[in-house]
Amino acid sequence: MLEIDPVLTIEEATLTAEAIASVQLPDGAIPEFPGGVINPWNHVEAAMALDVAGFHERARRAYRWSAAVQRDDGDWPAGFLDHAVVDQTRDANFSAYLAFGLRHHYVCTGDRTLLEEMWPVVDRAMTFVLDLQRPDGTISWARDAHGRRWDAALLTSSSCIHMSLRSAVAIAGTLGHERPEWELALSLLGDAISGGDHNFQPKRRFSMDWYYPVIARVIEGEAARERLRSRWDDFVVSSRGCRCVSDRPWITSGETAELVLALIAAELPMEASLMLRWVQHLRDEDGAYWIGATFPDGTVWPRQKPTWGSGSVVLAADVLRGGPSALCF
């Protein structure tokens, strides 16, 4: 790797990736923490951090695990534990995110072998996801255990799906497959997100709804900067980071790292660098990041270091330094 922003050195980022790798199971799955649930979205986020650190074979094992447990209709159950499904919810965002991770792997390695191997998996996943697109362009967030569609569309979910669908379109292009229906769906989804938050079920307490349309680069330029300014004081605590929800005194590593990505997308690199510096108070000596801490007392709570949260910090640092991840976000 090239030099990461001085906030996070190469050695520190590698140590974080090693902490993630230590949790990975022999079959390639990456639980949230030792003995914890395997969430398909969190699993991909952690796998991407492995690629940033050069642990490409471990990342390939992670993606092959995803392929092995995909359902026939293209989706993934929302939670696995000890090789058993513990959450039958079929979340559209969880199912779409594999495409984002696979394109990230291709960008990091320059090797299209895994893309070719996983193309049928991506194709099935996008079929499932786009079957949930509504006439207004938004995407219902899930189907339940019985296959029934949840009618509500969520802004964070749809924004992240926009990123994943854009990656799926890029994968199709790389492999020479034509998917014009994906391109149309991407355009409709982008229009729905840029059309306003009122198109989605209200979740204004959650910081992700605030910054995810910016991470997805649906809202860009001055409009992106204005969006981030508009609720900065609701979510950001100076010298600590970003709250998960606006009405709780709790700073979280994952949301703070994702806000770094939003600030980079909004062309605010100084603020992004500062935010990445602030989140270091949640770094443990093994390189992993605590999920969060209360303020102003700084009590770590809960005593968990989720692999996806650590992964998000590594990804944010890589994007900030202009590494391979910057070509994906």
Side-chain angles (χ1 to χ4, degrees):
M1 297 192 304
L2 300 176
E3 180 74 19
I4 293 180
D5 185 86
V7 175
L8 201 66
T9 67
I10 293 172
E11 293 76 17
E12 288 169 336
T14 301
L15 186 62
T16 302
E18 288 172 349
I20 294 170
S22 72
V23 180
Q24 188 174 28
L25 302 179
D27 62 2
I30 306 175
E32 294 185 2
F33 43 82
V37 169
I38 305 157
N39 168 305
W41 193 100
N42 295 350
H43 164 84
V44 170
E45 187 85 347
M48 287 193 286
L50 296 178
D51 264 328
V52 169
F55 302 158
H56 303 312
E57 184 53 38
R58 282 188 171 274
R60 282 189 283 269
R61 284 170 49 201
Y63 293 128
R64 286 174 176 140
W65 175 85
S66 294
V69 299
Q70 186 186 38
R71 289 165 48 100
D72 290 341
D73 60 358
D75 71 285
W76 284 266
F80 298 81
L81 183 64
D82 294 332
H83 305 287
V85 175
V86 293
D87 187 343
Q88 293 280 3
T89 306
R90 297 148 63 188
D91 188 300
N93 182 26
F94 291 7
S95 298
Y97 205 49
L98 181 69
F100 191 84
L102 287 171
R103 179 163 186 268
H104 180 265
H105 176 78
Y106 172 64
V107 169
C108 286
T109 64
D111 183 358
R112 56 186 280 169
T113 303
L114 191 66
L115 286 189
E116 293 168 346
E117 176 187 332
M118 301 285 281
W119 169 251
V121 181
V122 172
D123 202 17
R124 287 193 297 269
M126 288 302 114
T127 297
F128 169 78
V129 171
L130 295 184
D131 186 55
L132 288 170
Q133 190 163 37
R134 310 189 318 171
D136 63 359
T138 62
I139 294 180
S140 298
W141 78 270
R143 292 188 183 277
D144 67 13
H146 303 288
R148 294 173 299 204
R149 174 199 292 256
W150 291 85
D151 188 54
L154 304 179
L155 180 56
T156 296
S157 174
S158 286
S159 297
C160 195
I161 290 171
H162 189 277
M163 295 166 50
S164 300
L165 183 53
R166 190 174 67 228
S167 295
V169 169
I171 291 171
T174 298
L175 298 179
H177 299 294
E178 295 185 2
R179 289 295 184 272
E181 67 276 19
W182 293 3
E183 297 180 33
L184 176 60
L186 182 64
S187 177
L188 293 173
L189 180 57
D191 288 345
I193 296 168
S194 61
D197 293 10
H198 63 275
N199 290 323
F200 301 89
Q201 181 175 329
K203 295 281 185 179
R204 284 182 55 81
R205 293 175 60 239
F206 293 86
S207 58
M208 289 189 295
D209 261 27
W210 166 54
Y211 59 67
Y212 245 100
V214 179
I215 293 181
R217 296 182 182 267
V218 177
I219 300 175
E220 297 184 285
E222 183 55 34
R225 292 186 285 275
E226 178 55 35
R227 183 180 182 91
L228 295 182
R229 283 193 294 263
S230 69
R231 301 202 65 194
W232 186 267
D233 292 340
D234 293 339
F235 293 112
V236 175
V237 178
S238 181
S239 301
R240 307 305 289 173
C242 182
R243 301 183 196 223
C244 177
V245 292
S246 60
D247 55 355
R248 293 291 184 270
W250 186 46
I251 295 297
T252 52
S253 55
E255 277 76 5
T256 303
E258 288 183 333
L259 181 55
V260 172
L261 295 172
L263 289 163
I264 296 167
E267 300 179 14
L268 295 170
M270 296 299 292
E271 290 84 348
S273 180
L274 183 63
M275 194 66 56
L276 187 61
R277 189 174 301 280
W278 287 352
V279 79
Q280 300 311 310
H281 75 93
L282 292 173
R283 183 180 178 90
D284 196 17
E285 61 184 11
D286 64 353
Y289 287 77
W290 296 105
I291 189 171
T294 59
F295 67 88
D297 57 295
T299 300
V300 171
W301 179 85
R303 301 290 295 185
Q304 296 172 354
K305 295 177 284 189
T307 50
W308 81 269
S310 295
S312 67
V313 176
V314 171
L315 288 168
D318 193 44
V319 174
L320 186 59
R321 74 173 179 91
S325 303
L327 299 176
C328 298
F329 284 94

